[in-house]
Amino acid sequence: GLPASARQQQVLNLAHPDAYDYIRTVIDDILDEYPISYIKWDHNRDLVDAAAGPEISSGIEAQRQDEAMEYFRRLRASDNAPVSEKSLRKSGAKA
């Protein structure tokens, strides 16, 4: 069965290569298909069971964080970069 839920939600463990590849592909496809100028990824729940498994001791979580940071660095450097929330706040614009 599923691990304990919180706020009627489950956590997707992106340390699992298949889960990470799926989410990255879906996000990439959406960003390619639609003129999205703003992304906000909320993280507002406790990760009780998300760190369970051998992946945590393997260092894969740090690798995934580095890959995500590099992905967004390249996205910002491209002509299709979403506007950052920080720059929107500075300019007074609404997302």
Side-chain angles (χ1 to χ4, degrees):
L2 294 172
S5 66
R7 298 178 62 203
Q8 299 176 340
Q9 300 171 347
Q10 292 291 326
V11 173
L12 185 61
N13 186 346
L14 297 179
H16 289 282
D18 289 343
Y20 177 82
D21 291 341
Y22 173 78
I23 291 298
R24 183 169 175 159
T25 298
V26 169
I27 290 173
D28 216 21
D29 289 348
I30 290 169
L31 292 175
D32 283 345
E33 187 171 342
Y34 299 99
I36 294 172
S37 61
Y38 179 81
I39 297 173
K40 181 175 181 184
W41 189 305
D42 284 339
H43 176 50
N44 52 6
R45 69 160 283 199
D46 294 330
L47 300 178
V48 177
D49 294 316
E55 299 85 8
I56 296 306
S57 62
S58 72
I60 192 72
E61 72 283 355
Q63 179 183 340
R64 293 293 184 237
Q65 290 174 1
D66 291 343
E67 289 171 359
M69 287 190 308
E70 180 59 25
Y71 175 77
F72 285 106
R73 256 189 232 110
R74 282 185 281 129
L75 191 59
R76 280 194 302 272
S78 74
D79 291 334
N80 298 324
V83 177
S84 75
E85 182 178 1
K86 191 177 198 178
S87 65
L88 285 175
R89 282 194 302 247
K90 283 183 178 180
S91 71
K94 299 237 181 220

Coordinates of all heavy atoms in Angstrom, one line a residue:
G1 N 0.8 -1.2 0.0 CA 0.0 0.0 0.0 C 0.9 1.3 0.0 O 2.1 1.2 0.0
L2 N 0.2 2.3 0.0 CA 0.8 3.6 0.0 C 1.3 4.0 1.4 O 0.7 3.6 2.4 CB -0.1 4.7 -0.5 CG -0.6 4.6 -1.9 CD1 -1.7 5.6 -2.2 CD2 0.6 4.8 -2.8
P3 N 2.3 4.9 1.5 CA 2.7 5.4 2.8 C 1.7 6.3 3.4 O 0.7 6.7 2.7 CB 4.0 6.1 2.6 CG 4.2 6.2 1.1 CD 3.2 5.3 0.5
A4 N 1.8 6.7 4.7 CA 0.9 7.6 5.3 C 0.8 8.9 4.5 O 1.8 9.4 4.0 CB 1.3 7.9 6.7
S5 N -0.4 9.3 4.3 CA -0.6 10.6 3.6 C -0.7 11.8 4.6 O -1.0 11.6 5.8 CB -1.9 10.6 2.7 OG -3.0 10.5 3.5
A6 N -0.5 12.9 4.1 CA -0.6 14.2 4.9 C -1.4 15.2 3.9 O -1.0 15.3 2.8 CB 0.7 14.7 5.3
R7 N -2.4 15.8 4.5 CA -3.2 16.8 3.7 C -3.8 16.1 2.4 O -3.9 16.7 1.4 CB -2.4 18.0 3.3 CG -1.9 18.8 4.5 CD -1.1 19.9 4.2 NE -1.9 20.9 3.4 CZ -1.3 21.7 2.5 NH1 0.0 21.8 2.4 NH2 -2.1 22.6 1.8
Q8 N -4.1 14.8 2.6 CA -4.6 14.0 1.5 C -3.7 14.0 0.3 O -4.1 13.9 -0.9 CB -6.0 14.4 1.1 CG -7.0 14.4 2.2 CD -8.4 14.9 1.8 OE1 -8.5 15.7 0.9 NE2 -9.3 14.5 2.6
Q9 N -2.4 14.0 0.5 CA -1.4 14.0 -0.5 C -0.3 12.9 -0.3 O -0.1 12.6 0.9 CB -0.6 15.4 -0.6 CG -1.5 16.6 -0.8 CD -0.7 17.9 -0.6 OE1 0.4 17.9 0.0 NE2 -1.3 19.0 -1.0
Q10 N 0.3 12.5 -1.3 CA 1.4 11.6 -1.3 C 2.7 12.4 -1.8 O 2.5 13.3 -2.5 CB 1.2 10.4 -2.1 CG 0.2 9.4 -1.6 CD 0.6 8.8 -0.3 OE1 1.7 8.4 -0.1 NE2 -0.4 8.5 0.5
V11 N 3.9 11.9 -1.4 CA 5.1 12.6 -1.8 C 5.7 11.7 -2.9 O 5.8 10.5 -2.7 CB 6.1 12.7 -0.6 CG1 7.4 13.2 -1.1 CG2 5.5 13.7 0.4
L12 N 6.2 12.3 -4.0 CA 6.9 11.6 -5.0 C 8.4 11.7 -4.7 O 8.9 12.8 -4.6 CB 6.6 12.3 -6.4 CG 7.2 11.6 -7.6 CD1 6.6 10.1 -7.7 CD2 6.8 12.4 -8.8
N13 N 9.0 10.6 -4.5 CA 10.4 10.6 -4.1 C 11.3 10.7 -5.4 O 11.5 9.8 -6.1 CB 10.8 9.3 -3.4 CG 12.2 9.3 -2.9 OD1 13.0 10.1 -3.3 ND2 12.5 8.4 -2.0
L14 N 11.8 11.9 -5.6 CA 12.6 12.2 -6.9 C 14.0 11.6 -6.8 O 14.7 11.7 -7.8 CB 12.6 13.7 -7.1 CG 11.3 14.3 -7.4 CD1 11.4 15.8 -7.7 CD2 10.6 13.6 -8.6
A15 N 14.3 10.9 -5.7 CA 15.6 10.2 -5.7 C 15.5 8.9 -6.5 O 16.5 8.3 -6.8 CB 16.0 9.9 -4.2
H16 N 14.2 8.5 -6.8 CA 14.0 7.3 -7.6 C 14.2 7.7 -9.1 O 13.5 8.6 -9.5 CB 12.6 6.7 -7.4 CG 12.5 6.0 -6.1 ND1 13.0 4.8 -5.9 CD2 11.9 6.4 -5.0 CE1 12.7 4.4 -4.6 NE2 12.0 5.4 -4.1
P17 N 15.1 7.2 -9.8 CA 15.4 7.6 -11.2 C 14.2 7.6 -12.1 O 14.0 8.6 -12.9 CB 16.4 6.6 -11.7 CG 17.1 6.1 -10.4 CD 16.0 6.1 -9.4
D18 N 13.3 6.7 -12.0 CA 12.1 6.6 -12.9 C 11.2 7.8 -12.5 O 10.6 8.4 -13.4 CB 11.3 5.3 -12.8 CG 12.1 4.2 -13.4 OD1 13.0 4.4 -14.2 OD2 11.8 3.0 -13.1
A19 N 11.0 8.1 -11.3 CA 10.1 9.2 -10.8 C 10.7 10.5 -11.3 O 10.0 11.4 -11.9 CB 10.0 9.2 -9.3
Y20 N 12.0 10.7 -11.1 CA 12.7 11.9 -11.5 C 12.6 12.1 -13.1 O 12.3 13.2 -13.5 CB 14.2 11.9 -11.1 CG 15.0 13.1 -11.6 CD1 14.9 14.3 -10.9 CD2 15.7 13.0 -12.7 CE1 15.6 15.4 -11.3 CE2 16.5 14.1 -13.1 CZ 16.4 15.3 -12.4 OH 17.1 16.4 -12.9
D21 N 12.9 11.1 -13.8 CA 12.9 11.2 -15.3 C 11.4 11.5 -15.8 O 11.3 12.3 -16.7 CB 13.3 9.9 -15.9 CG 14.8 9.6 -15.7 OD1 15.5 10.6 -15.4 OD2 15.2 8.4 -15.9
Y22 N 10.4 10.9 -15.1 CA 9.1 11.2 -15.5 C 8.7 12.7 -15.3 O 8.2 13.3 -16.2 CB 8.1 10.3 -14.7 CG 6.6 10.7 -15.0 CD1 6.0 10.2 -16.1 CD2 5.9 11.4 -14.1 CE1 4.7 10.6 -16.4 CE2 4.6 11.8 -14.3 CZ 4.0 11.4 -15.5 OH 2.7 11.7 -15.7
I23 N 9.0 13.2 -14.1 CA 8.6 14.6 -13.8 C 9.4 15.5 -14.7 O 8.9 16.5 -15.2 CB 8.9 14.8 -12.3 CG1 7.9 14.1 -11.4 CG2 8.9 16.3 -12.0 CD1 6.5 14.5 -11.6
R24 N 10.7 15.3 -14.9 CA 11.5 16.1 -15.7 C 11.0 16.1 -17.1 O 10.9 17.2 -17.8 CB 13.0 15.7 -15.7 CG 13.8 16.7 -16.5 CD 15.2 16.4 -16.3 NE 16.0 17.3 -17.2 CZ 17.2 17.6 -17.0 NH1 17.9 17.2 -16.0 NH2 17.8 18.4 -17.9
T25 N 10.6 15.0 -17.7 CA 10.1 14.9 -19.0 C 8.7 15.7 -19.1 O 8.5 16.4 -20.1 CB 9.9 13.4 -19.4 OG1 11.2 12.8 -19.4 CG2 9.3 13.3 -20.8
V26 N 7.9 15.5 -18.2 CA 6.6 16.1 -18.2 C 6.7 17.6 -18.1 O 6.1 18.4 -18.9 CB 5.6 15.6 -17.1 CG1 4.4 16.4 -16.9 CG2 5.3 14.1 -17.3
I27 N 7.6 18.1 -17.2 CA 7.8 19.6 -17.1 C 8.4 20.1 -18.4 O 8.0 21.2 -18.9 CB 8.6 19.9 -15.9 CG1 7.8 19.6 -14.6 CG2 9.1 21.3 -15.9 CD1 8.7 19.7 -13.3
D28 N 9.4 19.4 -18.9 CA 10.0 19.9 -20.1 C 9.0 19.9 -21.3 O 9.0 20.9 -22.0 CB 11.1 18.9 -20.5 CG 12.3 19.6 -21.1 OD1 12.5 20.8 -20.9 OD2 13.1 18.9 -21.8
D29 N 8.2 18.9 -21.4 CA 7.1 18.9 -22.5 C 6.2 20.1 -22.3 O 5.8 20.7 -23.3 CB 6.4 17.6 -22.5 CG 7.2 16.4 -22.9 OD1 8.3 16.6 -23.5 OD2 6.8 15.3 -22.8
I30 N 5.7 20.3 -21.1 CA 4.8 21.4 -20.8 C 5.4 22.8 -21.2 O 4.8 23.6 -21.8 CB 4.3 21.4 -19.4 CG1 3.4 20.2 -19.2 CG2 3.6 22.7 -19.0 CD1 3.1 19.9 -17.7
L31 N 6.7 23.0 -20.8 CA 7.4 24.2 -21.1 C 7.6 24.4 -22.6 O 7.7 25.5 -23.0 CB 8.7 24.3 -20.3 CG 8.5 24.4 -18.8 CD1 9.9 24.4 -18.1 CD2 7.8 25.7 -18.4
D32 N 7.8 23.3 -23.3 CA 8.0 23.4 -24.7 C 6.7 23.7 -25.4 O 6.7 24.4 -26.4 CB 8.6 22.1 -25.3 CG 10.0 21.9 -25.0 OD1 10.7 22.8 -24.7 OD2 10.5 20.7 -25.2
E33 N 5.6 23.2 -24.9 CA 4.3 23.4 -25.6 C 3.6 24.7 -25.3 O 2.9 25.2 -26.2 CB 3.4 22.2 -25.2 CG 2.1 22.2 -26.0 CD 1.3 20.9 -25.8 OE1 1.9 19.9 -25.3 OE2 0.1 20.9 -26.1
Y34 N 3.8 25.2 -24.1 CA 3.0 26.4 -23.7 C 3.9 27.6 -23.4 O 5.0 27.4 -22.9 CB 2.1 26.1 -22.5 CG 1.1 25.0 -22.8 CD1 1.4 23.7 -22.4 CD2 -0.1 25.3 -23.4 CE1 0.4 22.7 -22.6 CE2 -1.0 24.3 -23.7 CZ -0.7 23.0 -23.3 OH -1.6 22.0 -23.6
P35 N 3.5 28.8 -23.6 CA 4.3 30.0 -23.3 C 4.3 30.3 -21.8 O 3.7 31.4 -21.5 CB 3.7 31.1 -24.2 CG 2.2 30.7 -24.3 CD 2.2 29.2 -24.3
I36 N 4.8 29.5 -21.0 CA 4.8 29.7 -19.6 C 5.9 30.7 -19.2 O 7.0 30.5 -19.6 CB 5.0 28.4 -18.8 CG1 3.7 27.5 -19.1 CG2 5.2 28.6 -17.3 CD1 3.9 26.1 -18.6
S37 N 5.5 31.7 -18.4 CA 6.5 32.7 -18.0 C 6.8 32.7 -16.5 O 7.6 33.5 -16.1 CB 6.0 34.1 -18.5 OG 4.8 34.4 -17.8
Y38 N 6.1 31.8 -15.8 CA 6.3 31.8 -14.4 C 6.0 30.4 -13.8 O 5.1 29.8 -14.2 CB 5.3 32.8 -13.7 CG 5.3 32.9 -12.2 CD1 6.3 33.6 -11.6 CD2 4.4 32.2 -11.5 CE1 6.3 33.7 -10.2 CE2 4.5 32.2 -10.1 CZ 5.4 33.0 -9.5 OH 5.5 33.1 -8.1
I39 N 6.9 29.9 -13.0 CA 6.8 28.6 -12.3 C 7.0 28.8 -10.9 O 7.9 29.4 -10.4 CB 7.8 27.6 -12.8 CG1 7.7 27.4 -14.3 CG2 7.8 26.3 -12.0 CD1 8.8 26.5 -14.9
K40 N 6.0 28.3 -10.1 CA 6.1 28.3 -8.6 C 5.9 26.9 -8.2 O 4.8 26.3 -8.4 CB 5.1 29.2 -8.0 CG 5.3 29.2 -6.5 CD 4.4 30.3 -5.8 CE 4.6 30.2 -4.3 NZ 3.7 31.1 -3.7
W41 N 6.9 26.3 -7.5 CA 6.8 24.9 -7.1 C 6.6 24.9 -5.6 O 7.6 25.1 -4.9 CB 8.0 24.1 -7.5 CG 7.9 22.7 -7.3 CD1 7.7 22.0 -6.1 CD2 8.2 21.6 -8.2 NE1 7.7 20.7 -6.3 CE2 8.0 20.4 -7.6 CE3 8.5 21.6 -9.6 CZ2 8.2 19.2 -8.2 CZ3 8.6 20.4 -10.2 CH2 8.5 19.2 -9.5
D42 N 5.4 24.8 -5.1 CA 5.2 24.9 -3.7 C 5.6 23.6 -3.0 O 5.5 22.5 -3.6 CB 3.7 25.1 -3.4 CG 3.3 26.5 -3.6 OD1 4.1 27.4 -3.6 OD2 2.1 26.7 -3.8
H43 N 6.1 23.7 -1.8 CA 6.5 22.6 -1.0 C 6.0 22.9 0.4 O 6.7 23.5 1.2 CB 8.0 22.4 -1.0 CG 8.5 21.3 -0.1 ND1 7.9 20.1 -0.1 CD2 9.4 21.3 0.9 CE1 8.5 19.3 0.8 NE2 9.4 20.1 1.4
N44 N 4.8 22.5 0.7 CA 4.1 22.9 1.9 C 3.6 21.7 2.7 O 2.5 21.7 3.1 CB 3.0 23.9 1.7 CG 2.0 23.4 0.6 OD1 2.1 22.3 0.1 ND2 1.2 24.3 0.2
R45 N 4.4 20.6 2.8 CA 4.0 19.5 3.6 C 5.2 18.8 4.2 O 6.3 18.9 3.6 CB 3.0 18.5 2.9 CG 3.7 17.8 1.8 CD 2.9 16.6 1.5 NE 3.1 15.6 2.5 CZ 2.8 14.3 2.4 NH1 2.3 13.9 1.3 NH2 3.1 13.4 3.3
D46 N 5.0 18.1 5.2 CA 6.1 17.4 5.9 C 6.4 16.1 5.0 O 5.6 15.5 4.4 CB 5.7 16.9 7.3 CG 5.5 18.1 8.2 OD1 6.1 19.1 8.0 OD2 4.6 17.9 9.1
L47 N 7.7 15.8 5.0 CA 8.2 14.7 4.2 C 8.5 13.5 5.2 O 9.6 13.2 5.5 CB 9.4 15.0 3.4 CG 9.2 16.1 2.4 CD1 10.5 16.5 1.7 CD2 8.1 15.8 1.4
V48 N 7.4 12.9 5.7 CA 7.6 11.9 6.7 C 8.3 10.6 6.1 O 9.3 10.2 6.6 CB 6.2 11.5 7.3 CG1 6.4 10.4 8.3 CG2 5.6 12.7 7.9
D49 N 7.8 10.1 5.0 CA 8.3 8.9 4.4 C 9.1 9.1 3.1 O 9.5 8.2 2.5 CB 7.1 7.9 4.1 CG 6.4 7.5 5.4 OD1 7.2 7.1 6.3 OD2 5.2 7.4 5.4
A50 N 9.3 10.3 2.7 CA 9.9 10.6 1.5 C 11.4 10.2 1.4 O 11.9 9.9 0.4 CB 9.8 12.1 1.1
A51 N 12.0 10.2 2.6 CA 13.5 9.8 2.6 C 13.7 8.4 2.8 O 14.9 8.0 3.1 CB 14.2 10.7 3.6
A52 N 12.7 7.6 2.8 CA 12.9 6.1 3.1 C 13.6 5.5 1.9 O 13.3 5.8 0.7 CB 11.6 5.5 3.4
G53 N 14.5 4.6 2.1 CA 15.1 3.8 1.0 C 16.5 3.9 0.9 O 17.1 4.9 1.5
P54 N 17.2 3.1 0.1 CA 18.6 3.1 0.0 C 19.2 4.3 -0.8 O 20.4 4.6 -0.7 CB 18.9 1.8 -0.7 CG 17.7 1.5 -1.5 CD 16.6 2.0 -0.6
E55 N 18.3 5.0 -1.5 CA 18.8 6.1 -2.3 C 19.4 7.2 -1.5 O 20.3 7.9 -1.9 CB 17.6 6.7 -3.1 CG 17.0 5.7 -4.1 CD 15.9 4.9 -3.4 OE1 15.5 5.2 -2.2 OE2 15.4 4.0 -4.0
I56 N 18.9 7.4 -0.3 CA 19.4 8.5 0.6 C 20.9 8.3 0.9 O 21.6 9.3 0.9 CB 18.5 8.6 1.8 CG1 17.1 8.9 1.5 CG2 19.1 9.6 2.8 CD1 16.9 10.2 0.6
S57 N 21.3 7.1 1.2 CA 22.7 7.0 1.5 C 23.6 6.9 0.3 O 24.8 6.9 0.4 CB 22.9 5.7 2.4 OG 22.5 4.6 1.6
S58 N 23.0 6.8 -0.9 CA 23.8 6.7 -2.1 C 24.3 8.1 -2.6 O 25.1 8.1 -3.5 CB 23.0 6.1 -3.2 OG 22.0 6.9 -3.7
G59 N 23.7 9.2 -2.1 CA 24.1 10.5 -2.6 C 23.3 10.9 -3.8 O 23.5 12.0 -4.3
I60 N 22.3 10.2 -4.2 CA 21.5 10.5 -5.4 C 20.7 11.8 -5.2 O 20.5 12.5 -6.1 CB 20.6 9.3 -5.8 CG1 20.0 9.6 -7.2 CG2 19.5 9.1 -4.8 CD1 21.0 9.5 -8.3
E61 N 20.3 12.0 -3.9 CA 19.5 13.2 -3.7 C 20.3 14.5 -4.0 O 19.8 15.5 -4.6 CB 18.9 13.2 -2.3 CG 19.9 13.5 -1.2 CD 20.7 12.3 -0.8 OE1 20.6 11.2 -1.3 OE2 21.6 12.5 0.0
A62 N 21.5 14.5 -3.6 CA 22.4 15.7 -3.9 C 22.6 15.8 -5.4 O 22.6 16.9 -6.0 CB 23.7 15.6 -3.2
Q63 N 22.8 14.7 -6.1 CA 22.9 14.7 -7.6 C 21.7 15.3 -8.2 O 21.7 16.1 -9.1 CB 23.2 13.3 -8.1 CG 23.3 13.3 -9.6 CD 23.5 11.8 -10.1 OE1 23.9 11.0 -9.3 NE2 23.3 11.6 -11.4
R64 N 20.5 14.9 -7.7 CA 19.2 15.4 -8.3 C 19.1 16.9 -8.1 O 18.6 17.6 -8.9 CB 18.0 14.6 -7.7 CG 18.0 13.2 -8.1 CD 17.7 13.0 -9.6 NE 17.5 11.7 -10.0 CZ 18.3 11.1 -10.9 NH1 19.2 11.7 -11.5 NH2 18.1 9.8 -11.2
Q65 N 19.5 17.4 -6.9 CA 19.4 18.8 -6.6 C 20.3 19.6 -7.5 O 19.9 20.6 -8.1 CB 19.7 19.1 -5.2 CG 18.7 18.6 -4.2 CD 19.1 18.8 -2.7 OE1 20.2 19.3 -2.4 NE2 18.3 18.3 -1.8
D66 N 21.5 19.1 -7.7 CA 22.5 19.7 -8.7 C 21.9 19.7 -10.1 O 22.0 20.7 -10.8 CB 23.8 19.0 -8.6 CG 24.6 19.2 -7.3 OD1 24.2 20.1 -6.6 OD2 25.5 18.4 -7.1
E67 N 21.3 18.6 -10.5 CA 20.7 18.6 -11.9 C 19.6 19.6 -12.0 O 19.4 20.2 -13.0 CB 20.2 17.1 -12.2 CG 21.3 16.1 -12.4 CD 20.8 14.7 -12.5 OE1 19.6 14.5 -12.3 OE2 21.7 13.8 -12.6
A68 N 18.7 19.7 -11.0 CA 17.6 20.6 -11.0 C 18.1 22.0 -11.1 O 17.6 22.9 -11.9 CB 16.7 20.4 -9.8
M69 N 19.1 22.4 -10.3 CA 19.7 23.7 -10.3 C 20.3 24.0 -11.7 O 20.1 25.1 -12.2 CB 20.8 23.9 -9.2 CG 20.1 24.0 -7.8 SD 21.3 24.5 -6.5 CE 22.6 23.3 -6.7
E70 N 21.0 23.1 -12.3 CA 21.6 23.3 -13.6 C 20.5 23.4 -14.7 O 20.6 24.3 -15.6 CB 22.5 22.1 -14.0 CG 23.2 22.3 -15.3 CD 24.0 23.5 -15.5 OE1 24.5 24.1 -14.5 OE2 24.2 24.0 -16.7
Y71 N 19.5 22.7 -14.6 CA 18.3 22.7 -15.5 C 17.7 24.1 -15.5 O 17.5 24.8 -16.5 CB 17.3 21.7 -15.1 CG 16.0 21.8 -16.0 CD1 16.0 21.3 -17.3 CD2 14.9 22.3 -15.5 CE1 14.9 21.3 -18.0 CE2 13.7 22.4 -16.2 CZ 13.7 21.9 -17.5 OH 12.6 22.0 -18.3
F72 N 17.5 24.7 -14.3 CA 16.9 26.0 -14.2 C 17.9 27.1 -14.6 O 17.5 28.1 -15.1 CB 16.2 26.2 -12.8 CG 14.9 25.5 -12.7 CD1 14.8 24.3 -11.9 CD2 13.8 25.9 -13.4 CE1 13.6 23.6 -11.9 CE2 12.6 25.2 -13.3 CZ 12.5 24.1 -12.6
R73 N 19.2 26.9 -14.3 CA 20.2 27.8 -14.8 C 20.1 28.0 -16.3 O 20.2 29.1 -16.9 CB 21.6 27.4 -14.3 CG 22.1 28.2 -13.2 CD 23.6 27.8 -12.9 NE 23.7 27.5 -11.5 CZ 23.9 26.3 -11.0 NH1 24.2 25.3 -11.8 NH2 24.0 26.1 -9.7
R74 N 20.1 26.8 -17.0 CA 20.1 26.8 -18.4 C 18.8 27.4 -19.0 O 18.8 28.1 -20.0 CB 20.3 25.4 -19.0 CG 21.7 24.9 -19.0 CD 21.9 23.6 -19.6 NE 21.5 22.6 -18.6 CZ 20.6 21.6 -18.8 NH1 20.1 21.4 -20.0 NH2 20.3 20.7 -17.9
L75 N 17.7 27.1 -18.3 CA 16.4 27.6 -18.7 C 16.4 29.2 -18.6 O 15.9 29.9 -19.5 CB 15.3 27.0 -17.8 CG 13.8 27.3 -18.2 CD1 13.6 26.7 -19.6 CD2 12.9 26.7 -17.2
R76 N 16.9 29.7 -17.5 CA 17.0 31.2 -17.3 C 17.9 31.8 -18.4 O 17.6 32.9 -18.8 CB 17.5 31.5 -15.9 CG 16.5 31.4 -14.8 CD 17.0 32.1 -13.6 NE 18.2 31.5 -13.0 CZ 18.3 30.5 -12.2 NH1 17.2 29.9 -11.8 NH2 19.4 30.1 -11.8
A77 N 18.9 31.1 -18.8 CA 19.8 31.6 -19.8 C 19.2 31.6 -21.2 O 19.8 32.2 -22.1 CB 21.2 30.9 -19.8
S78 N 18.2 30.8 -21.4 CA 17.6 30.7 -22.7 C 16.6 31.8 -23.0 O 16.3 32.6 -22.1 CB 16.9 29.3 -22.8 OG 15.7 29.3 -22.1
D79 N 16.1 31.8 -24.2 CA 15.1 32.8 -24.6 C 13.7 32.5 -24.1 O 12.8 33.3 -24.1 CB 15.0 33.0 -26.1 CG 16.3 33.6 -26.7 OD1 16.9 34.4 -26.0 OD2 16.6 33.3 -27.9
N80 N 13.6 31.3 -23.6 CA 12.3 30.8 -23.1 C 12.2 30.8 -21.6 O 11.4 30.1 -21.0 CB 12.0 29.4 -23.6 CG 11.9 29.4 -25.1 OD1 11.4 30.3 -25.7 ND2 12.4 28.3 -25.7
A81 N 13.1 31.5 -20.9 CA 13.1 31.4 -19.5 C 11.9 32.0 -18.8 O 11.5 33.1 -19.2 CB 14.4 32.2 -19.0
P82 N 11.4 31.3 -17.8 CA 10.3 31.9 -17.0 C 10.8 33.1 -16.2 O 12.0 33.1 -15.9 CB 9.8 30.8 -16.1 CG 10.4 29.5 -16.7 CD 11.6 30.0 -17.5
V83 N 9.9 34.0 -15.8 CA 10.3 35.1 -15.0 C 10.4 34.6 -13.6 O 9.5 33.9 -13.1 CB 9.2 36.2 -15.1 CG1 9.6 37.4 -14.2 CG2 9.1 36.7 -16.6
S84 N 11.4 35.0 -12.9 CA 11.5 34.6 -11.5 C 10.6 35.4 -10.6 O 10.2 36.5 -10.8 CB 13.0 34.8 -10.9 OG 13.2 36.2 -10.7
E85 N 10.1 34.7 -9.5 CA 9.2 35.3 -8.6 C 9.8 36.5 -7.9 O 9.2 37.5 -7.7 CB 8.8 34.3 -7.5 CG 7.8 34.8 -6.5 CD 7.4 33.7 -5.5 OE1 7.9 32.6 -5.6 OE2 6.5 34.1 -4.7
K86 N 11.1 36.4 -7.7 CA 11.8 37.5 -7.0 C 11.8 38.8 -7.9 O 11.6 39.9 -7.4 CB 13.3 37.1 -6.7 CG 14.1 38.0 -5.9 CD 15.5 37.3 -5.6 CE 16.1 37.9 -4.5 NZ 17.4 37.3 -4.2
S87 N 12.1 38.6 -9.2 CA 12.1 39.8 -10.1 C 10.7 40.3 -10.2 O 10.5 41.5 -10.4 CB 12.7 39.4 -11.4 OG 11.9 38.5 -12.1
L88 N 9.7 39.5 -10.2 CA 8.3 40.0 -10.2 C 8.0 40.8 -9.0 O 7.3 41.9 -9.1 CB 7.3 38.8 -10.3 CG 7.2 38.1 -11.7 CD1 6.3 36.9 -11.6 CD2 6.7 39.1 -12.7
R89 N 8.4 40.3 -7.8 CA 8.1 41.1 -6.6 C 8.8 42.5 -6.7 O 8.3 43.5 -6.3 CB 8.6 40.3 -5.4 CG 7.6 39.2 -5.0 CD 7.9 38.7 -3.6 NE 9.3 38.2 -3.6 CZ 9.6 36.9 -3.4 NH1 8.7 36.0 -3.3 NH2 10.9 36.5 -3.4
K90 N 10.1 42.5 -7.2 CA 10.8 43.7 -7.2 C 10.2 44.7 -8.2 O 10.1 45.9 -7.9 CB 12.3 43.5 -7.7 CG 13.2 42.9 -6.7 CD 14.6 42.7 -7.2 CE 15.5 42.2 -6.2 NZ 16.9 42.1 -6.7
S91 N 9.6 44.2 -9.3 CA 9.0 45.1 -10.3 C 7.6 45.5 -9.9 O 7.0 46.4 -10.5 CB 9.0 44.4 -11.6 OG 8.0 43.4 -11.7
G92 N 7.0 44.8 -8.9 CA 5.6 45.1 -8.5 C 4.6 44.4 -9.4 O 3.4 44.6 -9.2
A93 N 5.0 43.6 -10.3 CA 4.1 42.9 -11.3 C 3.5 41.7 -10.5 O 4.0 41.2 -9.5 CB 4.9 42.4 -12.5
K94 N 2.4 41.2 -11.1 CA 1.7 40.1 -10.5 C 1.9 38.9 -11.4 O 2.0 39.0 -12.6 CB 0.2 40.3 -10.5 CG -0.2 41.5 -9.6 CD -1.1 41.0 -8.5 CE -1.4 42.3 -7.7 NZ -1.5 42.0 -6.3
A95 N 2.1 37.7 -10.8 CA 2.3 36.5 -11.6 C 1.0 36.0 -12.3 O 0.0 36.3 -11.9 CB 2.8 35.3 -10.6

